[in-house]
Amino acid sequence: MPYRFLGEIVLLSSFIVLAGCSSIQESYSATGYQLRFADDPSLAAVEQDSTLWQNPFPHAAPDSLGIWWLRSEVEISPGSVKENSLGLAVLILGSFEMYWDGKLIGRNGVVGLDRATEIPGTYRSFFPIPDSMQSSGSHSVALRISNAHAGSFVRFHGIYLGDYQSLIRSGFMDTALIHILAGFFLVVAIYYGLIYILNRRQSYVLLFAVLSLCFFFLILFEYLKYYYIYPYPFHLTRLRIIAGFTFVIACLLPMFYLFRFRFKWRWLPAIVYVGLLVYTWLDMRGYDAKCLGMISWATFTSLAIVLYALYQRQKGALLGLLSVVAWGQSIFFYYDYMIFSGFAAMIVLNLFALAIEMREQRRQHEASLVRSSRLEIELLKKNIQPHFLMNSLTSLIDWIEEKPAVGVQFIEALAREFEILMDISDATLIPIEQEISLCESHLKTMSFRKERHFTLKTTGICAEAMIPPALFLTCVENAMTHNVFTEKRNVFEIRGEQHADHIKYTVLTGGKTAKQTTPSPYGTGLKYIRARLEESFPQRWRLTSSPGAAGWQTEIHIFNSQSKN
Amino acid sequence: MNVVIVEDEPRIARRIERFTREVLSDKITSLQVFEELEPAQSYLAAQAVDLLLLDLNLHGKDGFSILQPLLAAPFHTIIISAYTDRALEAFEYGVLDFVPKPFSKERLAKALFRIHSPTTAAVQKPLKYLTVIKTKTVVLIDIDKIVFIKGAGPYSEIHLDEGRVELHNKNLNKLAILLPESFERTHKSYLVNTREIVAFHSFSGSRYELVLRDDSILPVGRTYYKKLKDKWK
């Protein structure tokens, strides 16, 4: 791991440590709750017959619970009465009246028998305890509750006694820290979203962006409770939203690894996996259980995928494994801060892997640009290379001295060849007709030089077809340089054949192949043809070159983009 | 004088032939034009040729491997080529001249004149190696290692330091033209590397001798004595 990423990792681990240190509340949780599903003003009183009250707490209750009571004892130890006022924090899905030692000290919403009469209070509520009632010792807390807006859900998450100011501020520190992570997720989501929009190449880049965005929203909704004191009916909506994002995340995590690496089978495992998640969602009771269940499946599935990628020795598989472990640990440890910091670590590890990959892609792209410009130079050099240019000029001078009229024709033919060459020099593909006229003009030039007739015959050429520039010209030039022409008339031939899955071009040159020490006299020329073919038709061309009946025979096969050779 | 021209483009070949005939006129006893190198090589091996005008693609390895054995032959070689960037290298191996394409009659004439008078060769001669054929393989002799060269009829004996002697197919006159100014003719049969001279003795009766670093003693011809004396003053 390069040192530049150490910084991020140190930062992330410090989040985990800080989040762990600032525990939820510096308060004393009330214990020994008792319930009574009845309504009577006398139930507020300190002295009660405990046999009439029930425990434990029902998780779900009939719709018409009406108004009910909850009571508990809290102890104010002598040390806990400080300069600051004490207060109570209540976490419950319901509206209630709060009684402290039998006296009403506050209300959360308006308690009512049904949805019409009840005005929902907030999920979290805070009550200062009057100074006169803060004596040390045991105190009774009683709540007169209605939860008509919660449907059949009965959710009570505790009564906390503590310093009133601290109770209100609780969770702020965690929220602030975790929102730094949220910002990190958001930036990554935007950055990779834009990269995907601009390139539209790799689907996993989009998956990565959507995942990051989901992490961002998950944090937002998870920690909303600390700064938005919402009416209690919204609590279930919030839990559904969180579970929804968790579902999407659980879907996308293995998908990301599935598409990030190269696998033969993708869609079938993806569909099976989503089916499994839907089953888990329906099977599990309670949103927390659903979330943990789905993330567990995501962990094990992702782990299987990266391990398989590692087994196949795919690039980046080790970083992938590390990233799965980074967030997967949270299902065994603490499923809250751990999963977010785990996700952050996963994002960093994947950023690293993606950065490596993008650098590789950029390098390849740059290399291809260099290759293209080198080929362009090579093409231009064809006609300014001394062998062609100086011999042409020497011949030309002689023609002008001997027969000026022919000299002029020669100049015209030479000019025509240069003109076409300039036209095509910066193109990677040109119409085949242009290539043929280039060959024709070259043969005309050579006719003047060699004082023999060179003509070109074409058959089966599809006028619209595109080929790399100077492909056929190179074959013709090779023949001109290396072959011996004894005949007065020499016919070169270019044949095109359209097959079901490919086009075949055959270039037949005139003359006799001169004996050479090297196995193929066409070495450098063929290198140019190969490079050009690879540039425009990567991995789907074939080139054969062999001595023919007369001269040299070059066959070029270009396969359709669907069928590869 | 027997001249051979090798040029694969007929128009250029005719141009070389025309100019050569105009410049050398009646000195030419025979002139052969070849379009390909192979028949030319067998002709050169069989016939006594004085001058080869060669169009050679010196690009790549093959060019020089074809050229080197030709330079070991008794005749002079003039390269006429489009690849001017290899001219210096060609000189180092001992071509008489390198005529870049496209060429004029004057330029070709200048090259042809060098055959007879080294003085017209105003260019610095960057010869570095003499090429000899030894049991069918090409051997390059670094000219800095040559102490003196002794004429032996149509051949030349090249005396190197440490007493080695190599035989070159070119006669002493031809080598004298190719070798740089540090080589001086001291006798009709001797070419001496002036850097090797340690003493100069004169005896009665206009007899002169040179002592070289390897203790060999060479006679100095009367006609060359004055020229040497002027140079060494």
Side-chain angles (χ1 to χ4, degrees):
Chain A
M1 175 103 16
Y3 293 112
R4 57 199 162 116
F5 286 96
L6 274 179
E8 275 93 336
I9 286 161
V10 168
L11 190 71
L12 286 173
S13 32
S14 63
F15 283 148
I16 301 169
V17 173
L18 279 173
C21 288
S22 61
S23 62
I24 303 171
Q25 270 122 0
E26 284 186 16
S27 59
Y28 320 96
S29 174
T31 49
Y33 301 110
Q34 289 184 311
L35 299 180
R36 189 131 177 216
F37 293 102
D39 188 24
D40 193 313
S42 66
L43 294 175
V46 178
E47 299 297 327
Q48 294 287 331
D49 177 4
S50 60
T51 55
L52 297 171
W53 291 71
Q54 72 171 70
N55 197 19
F57 212 87
H59 205 69
D63 272 354
S64 53
L65 208 54
I67 297 171
W68 46 284
W69 284 75
L70 180 148
R71 52 174 280 132
S72 180
E73 299 276 315
V74 289
E75 186 84 17
I76 299 181
S77 55
S80 69
V81 186
K82 294 173 193 161
E83 284 175 25
N84 295 332
S85 249
L86 290 175
L88 289 162
V90 183
L91 275 69
I92 190 168
L93 292 194
S95 311
F96 61 88
E97 290 160 3
M98 156 77 77
Y99 294 88
W100 179 259
D101 289 336
K103 289 203 175 63
L104 183 69
I105 59 163
R107 282 192 172 87
N108 182 29
V110 174
V111 176
L113 264 173
D114 51 30
R115 292 171 75 96
T117 50
E118 186 195 318
I119 298 173
T122 55
Y123 165 65
R124 296 170 82 220
S125 51
F126 306 96
F127 302 91
I129 300 167
D131 289 353
S132 58
M133 302 165 92
Q134 289 187 16
S135 57
S136 61
S138 184
H139 297 268
S140 92
V141 184
L143 304 183
R144 180 172 175 260
I145 306 164
S146 72
N147 58 343
H149 291 268
S152 59
F153 285 92
V154 178
R155 288 287 186 285
F156 167 66
H157 294 138
I159 298 171
Y160 301 92
L161 172 75
D163 169 45
Y164 183 63
Q165 299 286 334
S166 310
L167 283 179
I168 289 176
R169 282 199 302 265
S170 71
F172 279 17
M173 195 61 195
D174 300 343
T175 310
L177 284 173
I178 210 86
H179 275 64
I180 295 173
L181 279 189
F184 168 68
F185 289 140
L186 183 64
V187 170
V188 169
I190 292 170
Y191 180 67
Y192 279 90
L194 288 176
I195 284 185
Y196 178 75
I197 289 165
L198 294 176
N199 291 319
R200 282 184 196 281
R201 278 241 197 87
Q202 291 101 346
S203 47
Y204 70 82
V205 172
L206 178 67
L207 286 173
F208 192 64
V210 174
L211 259 177
S212 301
L213 196 67
C214 287
F215 291 155
F216 167 74
F217 281 117
L218 192 63
I219 288 183
L220 231 55
F221 282 98
E222 187 67 50
Y223 284 81
L224 189 72
K225 61 182 177 190
Y226 289 117
Y227 51 90
Y228 170 43
I229 307 300
Y230 50 80
Y232 79 85
F234 176 70
H235 187 72
L236 281 174
T237 312
R238 185 182 142 253
L239 289 185
R240 284 192 191 106
I241 291 171
I242 289 172
F245 276 115
T246 309
F247 179 80
V248 176
I249 288 170
C251 276
L252 295 185
L253 277 170
M255 301 287 178
F256 168 71
Y257 292 105
L258 204 57
F259 284 84
R260 161 101 175 69
F261 298 108
R262 290 171 195 279
F263 295 112
K264 234 180 194 172
W265 299 91
R266 276 174 174 163
W267 290 108
L268 188 67
I271 290 164
V272 169
Y273 173 72
V274 173
L276 191 72
L277 277 190
V278 172
Y279 174 77
T280 309
W281 175 280
L282 297 174
D283 187 50
M284 295 277 196
R285 291 274 153 249
Y287 288 113
D288 286 353
K290 282 184 207 287
C291 288
L292 188 61
M294 290 188 298
I295 290 295
S296 302
W297 277 121
T299 308
F300 293 122
T301 312
S302 302
L303 200 62
I305 292 168
V306 290
L307 283 176
Y308 189 56
L310 199 66
Y311 168 73
Q312 290 184 329
R313 293 171 187 280
Q314 294 204 31
K315 266 188 190 170
L318 193 65
L319 278 176
L321 177 67
L322 283 174
S323 70
V324 174
V325 172
W327 54 269
Q329 46 74 29
S330 63
I331 61 167
F332 299 106
F333 300 105
Y334 185 56
Y335 182 85
D336 196 350
Y337 307 106
M338 288 304 263
I339 194 149
F340 291 121
S341 45
F343 280 153
M346 172 241 180
I347 294 278
V348 169
L349 287 166
N350 278 306
L351 279 180
F352 183 41
L354 291 181
I356 291 173
E357 207 166 281
M358 283 186 175
R359 185 184 62 184
E360 201 52 44
Q361 283 169 3
R362 201 180 57 236
R363 270 187 191 162
Q364 278 174 11
H365 177 67
E366 278 164 4
S368 79
L369 286 184
V370 169
R371 210 160 39 235
S372 289
S373 53
R374 211 181 53 227
L375 285 174
E376 189 184 329
I377 291 165
E378 218 164 290
L379 176 80
L380 287 172
K381 259 167 70 183
K382 275 185 190 301
N383 278 24
I384 59 160
Q385 56 147 314
H387 187 75
F388 177 81
L389 193 63
M390 295 308 175
N391 276 313
S392 292
L393 290 178
T394 312
S395 274
L396 185 55
I397 290 170
D398 210 63
W399 275 112
I400 291 169
E401 283 172 2
E402 299 266 291
K403 287 180 185 165
V406 184
V408 171
Q409 284 176 27
F410 189 4
I411 291 171
E412 280 167 356
L414 205 56
R416 174 79 186 128
E417 191 178 344
F418 273 101
E419 191 188 325
I420 301 173
L421 208 69
M422 291 306 141
D423 273 356
I424 62 168
S425 65
D426 58 349
T428 51
L429 284 172
I430 59 162
I432 200 158
E433 282 187 320
Q434 210 172 6
E435 175 72 19
I436 286 169
S437 37
L438 179 66
C439 291
E440 280 169 344
S441 72
H442 184 72
L443 286 173
K444 199 170 173 192
T445 309
M446 293 312 288
S447 298
F448 284 107
R449 271 174 52 179
K450 299 262 181 189
E451 291 180 82
R452 288 189 168 89
H453 283 281
F454 294 108
T455 47
L456 183 67
K457 192 174 117 189
T458 58
T459 49
I461 296 294
C462 169
E464 295 98 71
M466 301 287 280
I467 58 158
L471 215 59
F472 300 154
L473 179 71
T474 307
C475 300
V476 172
E477 274 178 351
N478 274 335
M480 281 298 171
T481 318
H482 300 284
N483 289 11
V484 179
F485 298 92
T486 47
E487 303 293 318
K488 196 75 195 148
R489 297 189 170 276
N490 299 274
V491 181
F492 284 57
E493 194 178 344
I494 298 173
R495 271 188 227 147
E497 286 166 56
Q498 183 74 54
H499 293 272
D501 64 337
H502 73 281
I503 302 176
K504 178 183 163 190
Y505 294 109
T506 311
V507 184
L508 292 160
T509 67
K512 271 182 286 186
T513 314
K515 279 181 210 158
Q516 290 273 339
T517 43
T518 43
S520 163
Y522 295 89
T524 50
L526 287 184
K527 217 155 87 184
Y528 171 83
I529 296 176
R530 286 200 185 94
R532 276 294 193 193
L533 286 170
E534 185 60 29
E535 177 191 46
S536 293
F537 313 104
Q539 303 285 307
R540 53 187 182 95
W541 55 271
R542 199 169 68 214
L543 179 73
T544 54
S545 185
S546 57
W552 202 264
Q553 181 170 337
T554 309
E555 286 178 8
I556 299 165
H557 301 252
I558 298 167
F559 293 85
N560 301 345
S561 36
Q562 294 84 8
S563 61
K564 296 198 172 180
N565 56 347
Chain B
M1 185 188 274
N2 297 324
V3 181
V4 169
I5 296 169
V6 181
E7 166 63 63
D8 67 340
E9 299 209 11
R11 181 141 285 272
I12 301 174
R14 280 208 303 278
R15 185 178 171 83
I16 298 168
E17 183 184 347
R18 200 170 67 236
F19 287 167
T20 310
R21 284 192 191 281
E22 283 169 19
V23 173
L24 299 177
S25 60
D26 55 349
K27 285 183 195 137
I28 298 172
T29 44
S30 85
L31 192 150
Q32 288 286 325
V33 180
F34 293 92
E35 219 175 300
E36 288 171 73
L37 191 63
E38 266 179 58
Q41 279 168 325
S42 35
Y43 180 85
L44 289 167
Q47 308 290 322
V49 175
D50 298 292
L51 176 65
L52 170 66
L53 294 157
L54 177 65
D55 165 48
L56 188 63
N57 179 354
L58 289 177
H59 244 66
K61 263 195 286 184
D62 289 357
F64 278 93
S65 60
I66 292 167
L67 180 62
Q68 281 169 2
L70 293 173
L71 295 178
F75 50 82
H76 275 309
T77 302
I78 294 172
I79 297 281
I80 302 172
S81 174
Y83 294 95
T84 47
D85 54 333
R86 307 306 290 269
L88 194 71
E89 215 172 327
F91 275 117
E92 286 175 0
Y93 288 100
V95 298
L96 184 67
D97 204 348
F98 187 103
V99 179
K101 283 180 181 174
F103 55 89
S104 62
K105 189 180 163 187
E106 289 69 32
R107 180 64 188 87
L108 191 66
K110 207 171 124 190
L112 293 169
F113 287 145
R114 296 182 91 182
I115 303 164
H116 294 294
S117 58
T119 46
T120 51
V123 286
Q124 190 108 41
K125 284 175 280 186
L127 181 78
K128 277 194 180 158
Y129 308 102
L130 278 181
T131 317
V132 296
I133 300 273
K134 225 171 132 182
T135 59
K136 285 188 181 172
T137 52
V138 175
V139 176
L140 294 177
I141 298 168
D142 189 339
I143 60 162
D144 289 337
K145 292 208 161 78
I146 299 172
V147 180
F148 67 93
I149 303 170
K150 186 184 174 195
Y155 308 108
S156 303
E157 276 175 20
I158 302 173
H159 292 255
L160 302 158
D161 51 6
E162 292 158 7
R164 279 197 301 141
V165 178
E166 301 285 356
L167 209 61
H168 199 290
N169 284 334
K170 281 188 174 63
N171 63 30
L172 203 60
N173 285 336
K174 284 201 171 84
L175 288 182
I177 289 168
L178 292 176
L179 285 163
E181 279 160 10
S182 57
F183 284 82
E184 201 69 58
R185 196 70 175 263
T186 56
H187 189 271
K188 71 180 192 331
S189 297
Y190 290 101
L191 251 172
V192 177
N193 188 348
T194 48
R195 290 190 202 122
E196 298 287 327
I197 299 172
V198 288
F200 187 83
H201 301 301
S202 61
F203 302 97
S204 58
S206 305
R207 220 164 51 78
Y208 309 101
E209 272 179 9
L210 277 177
V211 182
L212 302 180
R213 205 180 294 174
D214 67 348
D215 298 332
S216 46
I217 297 164
L218 300 182
V220 177
R222 220 164 298 163
T223 42
Y224 301 97
Y225 164 69
K226 204 176 148 5
K227 219 174 85 189
L228 271 175
K229 219 178 102 181
D230 290 346
K231 209 169 179 179
W232 284 80
K233 237 169 219 176

